Amino acid sequence: MNFSIYITGLMMGLSLIVAIGAQNAFILRQGLRNEHVFAVCLACAVSDAALIVLGVTSLHQIARFMPWFDPVMRYGGAAFLVWYGAKSLYSALRSSAALTAGEAKPSSFRQTLATCLALTWLNPHVYLDTVVLLGTISTRYPGQQASFAAGAVTGSFLFFFSLGYGATRLRPIFSKPSSWRMLETLVAFTMWIIAFKLLGGL
């Protein structure tokens, strides 16, 4: 285990996953309502772990047999991150949304888990972040992909459980639109930094 590469994987995983999307908003909402929090966090973390491992192992093998695949994914991923960052910055400048817990009646465990899995496995951004981007970044560390993947998986578990169980403390913060704008701005610059590292070959 290479600790420095493990930390790199951890930080890369956290940087990608912090972006506010349907999945994270759902976890926040469940945390605010204190409904099936453990199951939702575990389902998201395990799903992410499976996709990260798939990306790290499969993309490395593909790159060996198709040398052109790595640069295509690297530049394509960087282009997506630049676009995603611009989208987040636009949202930060124009959005006035705020997170609300809602007063809807409690959902059943089965319904909640099904919604959680759908938001995870039916979201194309999840595959791009975990399989393509993290898989591509891991090829920069020949022979140390396991350390990178372990760090990224740790980041997923840390983020999802912190998000779910920390939602109560976040409620007064994210009830303000300005908080969302600040977070979206941070996401935008984070995406651009990762894109720059991808283009620079890390």
Side-chain angles (χ1 to χ4, degrees):
M1 174 72 72
N2 187 307
F3 186 70
S4 64
I5 295 178
Y6 172 85
I7 294 299
T8 299
L10 174 66
M11 297 310 296
M12 285 293 182
L14 287 173
S15 296
L16 288 173
I17 205 172
V18 74
I20 291 299
Q23 185 188 49
N24 290 349
F26 179 75
I27 296 173
L28 274 170
R29 191 175 298 110
Q30 290 302 119
L32 290 171
R33 296 171 62 178
N34 196 28
E35 270 184 25
H36 316 299
V37 179
F38 181 81
V40 167
C41 293
L42 183 63
C44 290
V46 170
S47 296
D48 247 32
L51 290 170
I52 289 169
V53 171
L54 175 64
V56 170
T57 57
S58 65
L59 282 186
H60 177 65
Q61 295 299 322
I62 292 172
R64 289 177 58 189
F65 295 102
M66 292 184 290
W68 54 266
F69 189 78
D70 174 64
V72 167
M73 289 296 100
R74 183 148 51 92
Y75 290 116
F80 171 79
L81 289 173
V82 170
W83 171 81
Y84 196 92
K87 181 181 177 183
S88 294
L89 186 60
Y90 178 81
S91 177
L93 295 174
R94 299 295 298 271
S95 177
S96 61
L99 179 69
T100 56
E103 301 298 331
K105 64 179 182 180
S107 301
S108 67
F109 174 80
R110 182 177 297 180
Q111 180 182 359
T112 300
L113 190 60
T115 301
C116 175
L117 292 175
L119 288 173
T120 300
W121 292 93
L122 298 181
N123 182 2
H125 289 168
V126 172
Y127 294 94
L128 184 61
D129 290 349
T130 55
V131 178
V132 177
L133 289 178
L134 289 178
T136 301
I137 293 171
S138 72
T139 63
R140 303 278 76 93
Y141 307 103
Q144 298 293 338
Q145 288 92 339
S147 297
F148 182 88
V153 168
T154 301
S156 292
F157 275 84
L158 283 175
F159 178 80
F160 285 129
F161 279 92
S162 297
L163 186 64
Y165 285 100
T168 301
R169 293 173 181 253
L170 294 174
R171 183 171 188 172
I173 298 175
F174 285 99
S175 63
K176 304 174 183 178
S178 59
S179 297
W180 284 106
R181 289 195 290 268
M182 290 177 61
L183 185 57
E184 291 285 13
T185 301
L186 177 62
V187 167
F189 284 101
T190 299
M191 295 298 105
W192 288 341
I193 289 172
I194 297 174
F196 176 78
K197 289 183 176 181
L198 273 177
L199 291 175
L202 295 178

